[in-house]
């Protein structure tokens, strides 16, 4: 049996002592080192190596004798003990912290760019109507372009598509700054802001990585989706504040410029983590669009109605008590999302969605009661905090159903369709809430988010009943 000294340098000499070399040595010229080779041996025997602390076990591997320690060190046993916190276990996944850091940096500008554009355009042109129309155009363009961008991500990979798509979106933001600064015609503002529609759905790409890393583990996926939803709420809570601070403290274009830099930097960091990127699965020609997947149209309708809850609540709350109070709703949603992710979810995800929607409908009545009863501002703030506690669990459960209903090779496209439906609902809810505020008052305006939540509940119940009938 051959023994490899390279495989076990400490045990090979002890197992079979080397015989002295009695062959005649070649003549070596002065001041010339001997030519190294595999058969060259030193003139003197090497110094004895210190004995290992633990006697190794000898085993045969691939026809060679190798050594293995009898027991692992105590430090390694202590480090391998799993944590009881599900979020610490989630972030302990190899490569998870790196792509999460890049994703958070890239996601923060999502709450900055629209607010910065409104402040910048309204301050330069003196028209909030023009600023609102420009941002609405960008939102509509995103709803059209985002699913195609996600389809390219599924076909060619996240890094190959996300980086050039983000670069194009950043160029659109820079073009908007130049057009506003140099007083360009109004149509150039629409064209420049529409170019930002190529911004990839970084939240969807991050969820796709979690789904790939923890496939077959529903509990870990539940925690990951809760973490991503809490990150969404945190970014949309901090983004507008950061944008308003930069535009007010520095200059009106500062929020857009900083947001563009953060977006490009975050996507580059995120795309550089290739070890956690889901592999590209060849898409067959017979693969149907996620829109044709059973149950997906009903889910998208639920996301559309849920987005109307957010849009109406935002407009009505700003008209009734100012924009700062909206941070409480986002804070309640963020805290509820983290708590929801630490709990063990029920196995019936569709029943879970119905319970979340019913809770959201009930909690959305609290701001209506507070506003109708002319309650004080602290009472309304508490009601908004409680109302926001139901939004994150609803979104987490809805995204879980979308992941289950979508093919693995179409996961980014499926989740982007859900986000697109959510954005469309936000636009519709904002329009409905603004109409109610103008014609019926701010107190009556709070009926819009409660009605949208009830509509989402009805759609989810009808969709689940229709799916059960199809199965039977």
């Amino acid at each position: 049996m051959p023994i490899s000294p390279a495989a076990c340098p400490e045990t090979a000499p002890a197992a079979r002592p080397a015989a002295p070399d009695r062959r005649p040595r070649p003549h070596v010229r002065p001041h010339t080192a001997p030519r190294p080779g595999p058969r060259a041996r030193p003139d003197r025997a090497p110094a004895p190596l210190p004995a290992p602390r633990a006697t190794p076990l000898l085993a045969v591997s691939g026809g060679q004798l190798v050594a293995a320690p009898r027991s692992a060190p105590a430090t390694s046993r202590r480090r391998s003990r799993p944590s009881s916190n599900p979020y610490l276990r989630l972030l302990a996944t190899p490569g998870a912290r790196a792509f999460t850091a890049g994703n958070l940096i890239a996601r923060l500008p999502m709450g900055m760019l629209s607010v910065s554009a409104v402040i910048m355009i309204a301050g330069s042109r003196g028209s909030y109507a023009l600023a609102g129309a420009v941002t609405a155009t960008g939102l509509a363009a995103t709803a059209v372009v985002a699913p195609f961008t996600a389809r390219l991500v599924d076909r060619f990979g996240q890094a190959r598509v996300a980086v050039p798509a983000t670069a194009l979106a950043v160029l659109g933001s820079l073009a908007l700054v130049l057009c506003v600064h140099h007083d360009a015609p109004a149509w150039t503002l629409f064209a420049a802001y529409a170019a930002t529609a190529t911004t990839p759905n970084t939240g969807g790409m991050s969820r796709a990585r979690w789904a790939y890393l923890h496939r077959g583990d529903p509990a870990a996926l539940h925690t990951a989706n809760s973490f991503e939803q809490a990150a969404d709420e945190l970014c949309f809570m901090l983004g507008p504040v950061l944008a308003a601070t930069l535009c007010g403290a520095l200059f009106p274009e500062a929020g857009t410029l900083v947001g563009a830099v953060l977006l490009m930097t975050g996507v580059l960091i995120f795309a550089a983590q290739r070890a956690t990127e889901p592999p590209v699965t060849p898409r067959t020609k017979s693969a149907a669009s996620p829109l044709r997947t059973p149950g997906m149209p009903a889910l998208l309708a639920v996301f559309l109605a849920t987005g109307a809850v957010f849009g109406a609540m935002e407009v009505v709350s700003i008209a009734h008590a100012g924009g700062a109070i909206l941070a409480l709703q986002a804070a309640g949603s963020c805290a509820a999302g983290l708590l929801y992710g630490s709990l063990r979810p029920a196995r019936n995800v569709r029943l879970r969605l119905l319970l979340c929607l019913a809770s959201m409908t009930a909690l959305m009545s609290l701001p209506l009661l507070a506003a109708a009863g002319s309650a004080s501002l602290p009472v309304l703030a508490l009601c908004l905090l409680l109302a926001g506690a139901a939004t994150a669990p609803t979104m987490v459960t809805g995204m879980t159903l979308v992941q289950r209903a979508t093919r693995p090779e179409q996961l980014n496209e499926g989740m982007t369709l859900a986000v697109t439906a959510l954005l469309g609902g936000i636009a519709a809810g904002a329009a409905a809430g603004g109409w109610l505020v103008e014609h019926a008052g701010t107190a009556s305006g709070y009926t819009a988010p409660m009605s949208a939540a009830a509509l989402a509940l009805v759609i989810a119940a009808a969709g689940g009943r229709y799916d059960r009938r199809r199965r039977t």
Side-chain angles (χ1 to χ4, degrees):
M1 179 185 300
I3 301 175
S4 174
C8 185
E10 296 184 3
T11 58
R16 181 181 295 178
D21 191 3
R22 302 181 182 279
R23 294 175 298 177
R25 302 183 182 278
H27 176 71
V28 180
R29 292 178 297 175
H31 309 291
T32 302
R35 180 178 300 176
R39 296 181 178 273
R41 297 182 181 274
D43 294 337
R44 292 180 297 177
L49 296 175
R53 296 181 180 179
T55 305
L57 291 174
L58 300 181
V60 178
S61 175
Q64 294 183 349
L65 189 65
V66 296
R70 290 183 178 273
S71 59
T75 55
S76 63
R77 289 197 299 268
R78 288 196 299 266
R79 291 178 182 176
S80 62
R81 184 179 302 171
S83 173
S84 60
N85 191 320
Y87 293 102
L88 293 180
R89 292 199 303 268
L90 185 72
L91 295 177
T93 306
R97 297 183 181 181
F99 82 77
T100 298
N103 187 264
L104 290 178
I105 296 174
R107 204 182 302 187
L108 183 60
M110 301 303 175
M112 295 177 57
L113 293 176
S114 59
V115 176
S116 300
V118 170
I119 296 175
M120 180 175 60
I121 295 173
S124 175
R125 304 299 174 93
S127 173
Y128 279 95
L130 176 62
V134 170
T135 54
T137 301
L139 185 64
T142 301
V144 174
V145 176
F148 294 98
T149 304
R151 185 175 300 176
L152 293 176
V153 169
D154 286 326
R155 287 187 179 183
F156 302 104
Q158 295 182 355
R160 294 181 61 184
V161 176
V163 174
T166 304
L168 183 58
V170 168
L171 290 177
S173 297
L174 297 179
L176 179 66
V177 171
L178 293 176
C179 291
V180 171
H181 184 74
H182 293 286
D183 200 17
W187 67 267
T188 60
L189 306 182
F190 290 91
Y193 201 73
T196 63
T198 59
T199 304
N201 180 16
T202 54
M205 291 191 298
S206 183
R207 288 179 174 92
R209 294 201 178 204
W210 290 121
Y212 166 67
L213 294 174
H214 296 285
R215 55 193 181 278
D217 190 350
L221 286 179
H222 171 72
T223 303
N225 287 332
S226 301
F227 174 78
E228 292 296 327
Q229 186 60 38
D232 280 338
E233 300 294 344
L234 181 64
C235 292
F236 278 102
M237 181 174 59
L238 298 179
V241 177
L242 179 59
T245 302
L246 291 172
C247 293
L250 300 178
F251 48 89
E253 297 86 359
T256 302
L257 293 176
V258 172
V261 172
L262 289 176
L263 177 61
M264 193 74 247
T265 303
V267 170
L268 288 175
I269 296 175
F270 179 82
Q273 314 307 317
R274 304 299 294 269
T276 56
E277 181 178 352
V280 178
T281 304
R283 187 172 181 176
T284 60
K285 295 182 179 180
S286 60
S289 170
L291 288 172
R292 301 181 181 179
T293 304
M296 181 63 78
L299 283 175
L300 295 181
V302 170
F303 275 94
L304 185 68
T306 306
V309 175
F310 302 152
M313 182 66 75
E314 180 178 355
V315 172
V316 175
S317 296
I318 290 175
H320 187 79
I325 201 172
L326 288 173
L328 292 173
Q329 182 189 358
S333 181
C334 180
L338 292 175
L339 178 62
Y340 186 64
S342 63
L343 302 176
R344 179 174 297 179
R347 294 183 179 181
N348 193 336
V349 187
R350 291 194 175 274
L351 178 60
R352 233 195 301 161
L353 179 62
L354 293 177
L355 293 176
C356 290
L357 289 172
S359 301
M360 185 169 65
T361 303
L363 291 176
M364 285 297 165
S365 65
L366 297 180
L368 174 61
L369 295 176
S374 300
S376 61
L377 186 60
V379 175
L380 179 62
L382 178 61
C383 292
L384 287 175
L385 182 68
L386 295 175
T391 58
T394 302
M395 293 297 300
V396 170
T397 309
M399 280 295 182
T400 301
L401 287 173
V402 170
Q403 290 175 356
R404 293 189 177 186
T406 309
R407 291 173 173 267
E409 65 270 17
Q410 298 174 323
L411 191 56
N412 286 286
E413 184 178 357
M415 288 189 291
T416 302
L417 286 173
V419 174
T420 301
L422 192 71
L423 293 177
I426 290 174
W435 187 89
L436 280 175
V437 166
E438 185 175 349
H439 291 84
T442 57
S444 299
Y446 279 108
T447 59
M450 186 184 68
S451 301
L455 178 61
L457 175 61
V458 172
I459 294 173
R465 185 174 302 175
Y466 176 73
D467 289 341
R468 286 194 298 269
R469 287 179 179 177
R470 289 190 60 181
R471 292 177 182 176
T472 57

